[in-house]
């Protein structure tokens, strides 16, 4: 499992946008799927979006469809999550991880995550 570093979180008003970045550390994830997850204190971590190795296939949970866009740049070993029309319910710590496939949420290693706070 590759180690990852998340960045790009912050405080934003409802309706605003943020772009999260996920970088591979000490390895590469250009040949595997990558997922974005989020966790609210006291709740289980949930998968938010995922992208296939080639980038041709993407996955989103229902609550973010049409607002979030996952993308990747394999040449730079980066995966992004563009979040638009943010809602207070999107407030959470966001994590990325790999290798990802639909339904996979258990990993031995998690990065530090990046905090996203959406104010109403």
């Amino acid at each position: 499992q590759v180690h990852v570093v998340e960045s790009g979180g912050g405080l934003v008003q409802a309706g605003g946008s943020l772009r999260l970045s996920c970088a591979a550390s000490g390895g590469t994830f250009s040949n595997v799927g990558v997922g974005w997850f989020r966790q609210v204190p006291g709740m289980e971590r949930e998968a938010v979006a995922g992208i296939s190795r080639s980038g041709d296939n993407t996955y989103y949970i229902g609550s973010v469809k049409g607002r979030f866009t996952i993308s990747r740049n394999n040449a730079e070993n980066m995966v992004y999550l563009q979040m638009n029309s943010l809602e207070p319910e999107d407030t959470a710590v966001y994590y990325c991880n790999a290798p990802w496939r639909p339904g996979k949420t258990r990993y031995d290693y998690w990065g530090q995550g990046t905090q996203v706070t959406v104010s109403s």
Side-chain angles (χ1 to χ4, degrees), residues 83-107:
M83 307 187 297
N84 298 329
S85 301
L86 282 161
E87 303 169 352
E89 293 74 22
D90 297 317
T91 295
V93 179
Y94 284 70
Y95 303 85
C96 62
N97 222 325
W100 170 86
R101 64 179 185 276
K104 181 174 174 59
T105 58
R106 292 185 179 272
Y107 294 85

Side-chain angles (χ1 to χ4, degrees), residues 60-73:
Y60 301 95
I61 57 171
S63 60
V64 308
K65 280 184 179 178
R67 300 189 298 121
F68 290 12
T69 303
I70 188 171
S71 62
R72 67 188 302 162
N73 183 328

Side-chain angles (χ1 to χ4, degrees), residues 3 8 11 29 36-38 43 47 61 70 79 86 88 98 117:
H3 287 196
L11 173 63
F29 50 42
W36 278 101
F37 306 80
R38 66 186 180 187
M43 304 288 286
I61 57 171
I70 188 171
V79 173
L86 282 161
T117 303

Side-chain angles (χ1 to χ4, degrees), residues 18 20 111:
L18 285 172
L20 305 184

Side-chain angles (χ1 to χ4, degrees), residues 3-70:
H3 287 196
V4 297
V5 178
E6 304 93 343
S7 62
L11 173 63
V12 64
Q13 288 188 331
S17 298
L18 285 172
R19 187 195 196 204
L20 305 184
S21 298
C22 173
S25 174
T28 179
F29 50 42
S30 61
N31 57 343
V32 296
V34 179
W36 278 101
F37 306 80
R38 66 186 180 187
Q39 187 171 28
V40 175
M43 304 288 286
E44 287 194 4
R45 191 173 283 141
E46 65 173 351
V48 175
I51 189 166
S52 63
R53 176 180 59 185
S54 66
D56 289 345
N57 296 301
T58 56
Y59 158 86
Y60 301 95
I61 57 171
S63 60
V64 308
K65 280 184 179 178
R67 300 189 298 121
F68 290 12
T69 303
I70 188 171

